[in-house]
Amino acid sequence: MRSVFWLLALACLAVALALLMGNNSSTVTLFWPPYRYDVSFNFFLFALLGCFVVLYAAMRALSVLRELPVQAQRWRQQQVERAAVGFVMDALSHQLAGRFVRAQAAAQNALDQLQGTAAWPRREQLQLLAHLMLAESAQSLQNRDRRDRHLQLALAPELARKAPEAAEGVMLRAVHWAVEDRDVETARSRLADLPQGMARRIQALRLKLRVAGLGDATQEALETARLLAKHRAFSPEASRSIVRGLAMDALREAQDLSQLTAVWRALDASERAMPDIVLVAAAQAQRQVSAGADESAVEEARQWVRGCVEPLWTGFNGLTASQQLQFVRVYEPCLAGLDGAGLARLEQLQRLAPQNACLQYLAGQACMHRQLWGKAAQLLGQARHGLHDPMLLRRTWRSLALLAEERGDTAAAQAAWRTAAQLD
């Protein structure tokens, strides 16, 4: 369609020229005293057009001649830029391929190309990336002096000001190098130097989590893991696993019941509902029951354990076999102070799952503490067939031996004591 319009325009121009110059008998008189020149109007028009074309061509030629030095300088700059970009790409390729010496050589060639050249767009960014490649290769070759030297050059104010994104990447890589060297103090110092907005990025939080793990700062690591889970830095399963592991470590580090209570209250509601975390917290509090000499402290710890494991009662049958065994171990010392309501709930739960050996064992021991000898003997007798844990089996046979002695059955008591001794 465009070509049709061009043809129409040319046809119109041809018609206009034909009408103007086809039968034009006009003349143009030029005076140059004492001479006079008469020329046709058509010839004058063509001569005028020819002069314009010659003058324009001369001016263009002069402009091209004047631009030759600038174009030559621009060409040389482009060649330097292309060579520098090529060397940086070679350095990156060698770094990814594990050829660290070649990567250093290519990055150094890039710096040599950029040395002393005039300023052009992104020159500083390319120079900063070349220093980064040199520092990265030096880190891989364990040449820390060269790494630190090029790190300082990369973070120079004149480069960082004109290439802020690349400078932020260098700062993150510096923290990563400190983590690789397991230098916790240096890593913390470099993390503290990060700008506020940059410190909240996922990559910075990942590094902060690793630094906290290296420095045994479990509480800090737990808070960082929560932030990463909130920003979906990990899959939901991985997030739960990481948070669960850190929460369990924080609970294990508690030295007394007050510290344990503080850590427990600092956990989220969803974390306090995780069975593994609940059982670890109860096991830590149970140490106060096992080793506490003060009866008030022992009772306080027992109350703490009862309140801690309260959410697990409703979902006891949903626990795994290992979790049920752990629940029995941490809750058994609390049976001595179990009230009537607690015993009724335990018996009701046992009747709902009559084949569960762990519930049979707990209900039997609870009845034994309340001197319900017949019911205790019945439940423990059933539990001995389903329990496979040697420690619980040993306790079951000891309880059966005591119950046999209570009812005066010496032969049954001796047999039960003998079986318990064989399990030691």
Side-chain angles (χ1 to χ4, degrees):
M1 191 68 182
R2 185 179 298 177
S3 58
V4 174
F5 284 114
W6 273 108
L7 289 175
L8 291 175
L10 290 176
C12 292
L13 180 62
V15 171
L17 290 175
L19 293 175
L20 178 65
M21 305 177 63
N23 192 21
N24 190 359
S25 58
S26 301
T27 61
V28 175
T29 302
L30 301 175
F31 293 95
W32 189 272
Y35 304 104
R36 172 183 173 179
Y37 301 95
D38 294 325
V39 295
S40 68
F41 179 77
N42 292 345
F43 176 77
F44 176 77
L45 196 61
F46 278 112
L48 187 62
L49 182 62
C51 290
F52 174 78
V53 171
V54 170
L55 180 61
Y56 178 77
M59 293 178 63
R60 289 293 300 170
L62 182 60
S63 176
V64 169
L65 288 176
R66 294 179 61 183
E67 288 290 330
L68 281 179
V70 178
Q71 292 181 0
Q73 183 180 2
R74 187 182 300 116
W75 180 84
R76 288 193 296 269
Q77 182 174 324
Q78 289 177 351
Q79 296 304 311
V80 172
E81 180 180 355
R82 291 174 182 175
V85 171
F87 283 129
V88 171
M89 293 178 65
D90 290 341
L92 179 59
S93 301
H94 291 316
Q95 178 69 29
L96 294 176
R99 298 177 175 178
F100 306 122
V101 177
R102 294 187 181 183
Q104 282 186 337
Q108 188 61 52
N109 289 335
L111 289 176
D112 294 339
Q113 288 287 335
L114 295 170
Q115 191 69 27
T117 58
W120 42 273
R122 297 200 173 185
R123 174 183 177 275
E124 290 78 10
Q125 183 180 11
L126 197 61
Q127 191 173 358
L128 192 149
L129 291 176
H131 283 299
L132 175 59
M133 288 295 100
L134 271 168
E136 190 75 44
S137 301
Q139 169 67 16
S140 301
L141 295 172
Q142 296 300 307
N143 189 347
R144 293 183 175 83
D145 293 336
R146 189 172 189 181
R147 179 202 67 187
D148 294 338
R149 182 170 67 254
H150 285 283
L151 175 62
Q152 295 300 324
L153 292 174
L155 295 178
E158 59 273 12
L159 296 181
R161 184 174 60 256
K162 295 185 178 180
E165 293 83 4
E168 291 176 355
V170 172
M171 296 174 71
L172 288 176
R173 291 306 300 170
V175 179
H176 182 78
W177 297 334
V179 172
E180 286 183 350
D181 296 339
R182 305 185 71 84
D183 188 350
V184 179
E185 295 301 325
T186 302
R188 289 187 181 277
S189 175
R190 289 175 176 172
L191 278 174
D193 292 338
L194 296 178
Q196 184 177 3
M198 185 180 174
R200 293 195 297 267
R201 296 176 187 171
I202 291 179
Q203 184 64 22
L205 291 175
R206 287 176 183 267
L207 291 172
K208 186 178 180 180
L209 178 61
R210 295 181 62 182
V211 172
L214 289 176
D216 295 329
T218 308
Q219 194 63 37
E220 180 185 357
L222 180 58
E223 294 174 359
T224 307
R226 288 171 182 161
L227 283 176
L228 287 170
K230 180 180 178 181
H231 292 300
R232 299 181 181 180
F234 307 108
S235 63
E237 294 77 9
S239 299
R240 284 193 295 269
S241 177
I242 293 173
V243 171
R244 180 172 60 247
L246 291 172
M248 292 165 62
D249 290 341
L251 291 169
R252 291 191 184 102
E253 292 175 359
Q255 300 299 321
D256 51 31
L257 193 59
S258 60
Q259 292 183 8
L260 183 63
T261 304
V263 175
W264 179 257
R265 290 176 178 174
L267 298 179
D268 295 339
S270 59
E271 296 167 359
R272 290 196 295 268
M274 294 182 181
D276 291 333
I277 296 178
V278 172
L279 293 174
V280 169
Q284 285 296 109
Q286 192 60 52
R287 294 181 181 178
Q288 304 296 323
V289 179
S290 301
D294 187 6
E295 185 61 30
S296 62
V298 172
E299 184 59 30
E300 181 184 359
R302 286 174 177 170
Q303 292 293 337
W304 199 95
V305 172
R306 293 191 191 101
C308 177
V309 301
E310 185 68 25
L312 297 185
W313 283 113
T314 56
F316 185 86
N317 293 322
L319 300 179
T320 63
S322 60
Q323 290 173 343
Q324 289 183 2
L325 286 175
Q326 190 176 359
F327 181 93
V328 171
R329 291 170 185 164
V330 300
Y331 195 77
E332 183 181 0
C334 300
L335 295 174
L338 191 65
D339 55 7
L343 179 60
R345 181 181 59 181
L346 181 56
E347 290 179 340
Q348 182 182 4
L349 186 62
Q350 190 274 325
R351 285 194 295 269
L352 293 176
Q355 303 301 322
N356 192 309
C358 292
L359 291 176
Q360 291 172 352
Y361 175 82
L362 281 178
Q365 293 290 1
C367 290
M368 187 172 177
H369 281 292
R370 297 183 69 86
Q371 298 181 358
L372 302 174
W373 312 121
K375 186 177 291 187
Q378 178 186 0
L379 291 171
L380 291 174
Q382 295 173 356
R384 66 180 179 177
H385 300 293
L387 290 175
H388 302 287
D389 183 69
M391 183 182 68
L392 294 184
L393 271 175
R394 185 167 58 250
R395 293 178 181 176
T396 302
W397 282 107
R398 287 177 178 175
S399 298
L400 289 173
L402 293 174
L403 290 171
E405 291 178 352
E406 185 67 28
R407 66 176 180 268
D409 192 346
T410 307
Q414 290 178 353
W417 283 116
R418 189 181 306 111
T419 304
Q422 292 174 354
L423 292 173
D424 287 338

